């Protein structure tokens, strides 16, 4: 069975673009920054530009480890974006270039949700419907902190939301069939929430994803002349002179900026990032 997202997802639900903040709100929010750890920064180079993705070991440790392993082996170098649907997602990671392939490593068990402790620095968007916010740059829905006091591990359930820029793992029919293929969201699709593993988010290069050669929805996004990933590595595996550094707004700063302009959609919050080096 091909590794793909639900076909129905391509035709449903609105697309939420990241918000543009007024300069005053942006300046205030950008006072609180963190530096992305090199081992959590996925660097995807293409002929059309570079895409920088922060992976989240908290959200999906096994999927993050798989991406690190394959990227640093050079597995992804030269692979195609074989399935691209505008305002939905760009899928890659198949050595066959057809959506049917994977690596020689065993398939992964689903990590559709994770356990969030008080130390996860969850920043809630209180004006939104439901308990949603950011953990790092990843948009999540979660249970309230108060429930931590009645759980054995003092943690609560949380799950990544498939907003624009979110990194997800493709799979076949079984929830436990993810292997090497992944996709990067260029739109918002609630229907994927809880059905696929969300384990990172684009910090820089979203515009590059939007320029990738695309297929049609009628052909399920199959691309006739696909773009390729020329090199994919974790930043920690790159020579120091080629290694980018990314500073990004903390979750709390990004949510505060959203509140300042009355934003109620967590998917519209894209933490501001600064890239240097590399």
């Amino acid at each position: 069975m091909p590794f793909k997202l639900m076909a129905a997802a391509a035709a449903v639900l609105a697309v939420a673009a990241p918000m543009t903040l007024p300069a005053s709100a942006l300046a205030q929010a950008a006072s609180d920054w963190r530096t992305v750890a090199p081992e959590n920064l996925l660097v995807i180079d293409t002929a059309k530009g570079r895409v920088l993705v922060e992976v989240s070991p908290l959200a999906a440790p096994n999927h993050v480890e798989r991406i690190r392993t394959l990227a640093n082996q050079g597995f992804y170098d030269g692979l195609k974006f074989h399935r691209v649907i505008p305002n939905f997602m760009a899928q890659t990671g198949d050595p066959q270039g057809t959506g049917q392939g994977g690596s020689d490593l065993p398939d992964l068990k689903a990590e559709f949700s994770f356990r969030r402790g008080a130390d996860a620095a969850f920043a809630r968007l209180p004006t939104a419907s439901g308990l949603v916010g950011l953990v790092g740059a990843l948009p999540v829905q979660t249970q309230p902190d108060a429930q931590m006091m009645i759980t054995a591990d003092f943690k609560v359930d949380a799950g990544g939301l498939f907003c624009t820029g979110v990194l997800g793992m493709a799979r076949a029919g079984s929830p436990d069939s993810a292997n090497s293929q992944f996709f990067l969201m260029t739109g918002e699709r609630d229907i994927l929430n809880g059905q696929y593993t969300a384990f990172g988010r684009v910090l820089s290069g979203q515009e590059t994803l939007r320029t990738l050669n695309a297929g049609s929805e009628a052909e399920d996004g199959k691309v006739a002349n696909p773009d390729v990933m020329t090199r994919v590595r974790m930043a920690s595996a790159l020579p120091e002179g080629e290694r980018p550094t990314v500073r990004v707004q903390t979750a709390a700063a990004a949510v505060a900026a959203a509140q300042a302009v009355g934003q109620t959609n967590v998917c519209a919050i894209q933490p501001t990032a600064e890239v240097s080096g590399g």
Side-chain angles (χ1 to χ4, degrees):
M1 182 178 294
F3 287 69
K4 60 176 66 176
L5 313 185
M6 298 174 183
V12 297
L13 300 179
V15 174
M19 66 179 179
T20 300
L21 297 176
S24 58
L26 183 61
Q28 182 180 4
S31 63
D32 199 353
W33 299 83
R34 61 184 176 86
T35 300
V36 178
E39 63 270 21
N40 292 335
L41 185 63
L42 182 66
V43 183
I44 302 173
D45 288 321
T46 77
K48 291 181 174 176
R50 170 172 280 183
V51 182
L52 299 176
V53 185
E54 183 181 25
V55 297
S56 174
L58 174 64
N62 296 325
H63 285 69
V64 167
E65 188 56 35
R66 174 60 53 86
I67 288 289
R68 286 174 177 159
T69 297
L70 293 179
N72 292 343
Q73 287 177 352
F75 175 87
Y76 290 119
D77 296 359
L79 298 192
K80 302 171 182 177
F81 284 96
H82 64 272
R83 184 168 179 254
V84 180
I85 301 176
N87 295 321
F88 181 14
M89 59 86 222
Q91 185 172 334
T92 184
D94 175 15
Q96 296 182 21
T98 62
Q100 303 284 342
S103 74
D104 292 332
L105 298 175
D107 290 346
L108 294 165
K109 290 187 177 297
E111 294 179 298
F112 297 160
S113 64
F114 63 96
R115 299 292 287 170
R116 177 183 68 84
D119 59 348
F122 170 65
R124 181 186 177 189
L125 181 61
T127 52
S129 175
L131 190 57
V132 298
L134 299 181
V135 172
L138 185 68
V140 302
Q141 184 167 20
T142 186
Q143 295 175 311
D145 287 11
Q147 290 192 23
M148 293 179 187
M149 299 305 296
I150 59 172
T151 61
D153 59 358
F154 296 101
K155 296 180 180 180
V156 294
D157 284 338
L161 301 175
F162 279 93
C163 304
T164 299
V166 166
L167 167 68
M169 205 71 163
R171 62 174 175 83
S174 167
D176 300 329
S177 59
N179 187 282
S180 67
Q181 294 188 44
F182 63 88
F183 57 93
L184 295 159
M185 299 294 290
T186 55
E188 174 187 347
R189 289 297 190 277
D190 291 349
I191 198 171
L192 304 183
N193 297 341
Q195 302 297 317
Y196 293 83
T197 298
F199 64 112
R201 195 175 193 183
V202 174
L203 298 181
S204 174
Q206 192 70 44
E207 65 283 357
T208 296
L209 294 174
R210 295 188 183 281
T211 66
L212 297 175
N213 294 336
S216 67
E217 289 191 18
E219 294 187 337
D220 198 29
K222 180 180 179 181
V223 184
N225 55 336
D227 293 290
V228 303
M229 300 183 290
T230 55
R231 183 178 69 171
V232 182
R233 296 289 186 278
M234 304 310 297
S236 56
L238 293 173
E240 194 166 332
E242 300 176 25
R243 184 183 302 171
T245 297
V246 178
R247 288 202 322 149
V248 62
Q249 273 182 308
T250 64
V255 169
Q259 287 182 261
V261 295
Q263 182 56 255
T264 61
N265 181 2
V266 68
C267 277
I269 304 175
Q270 176 67 60
T272 303
E274 289 184 349
V275 180
S276 60

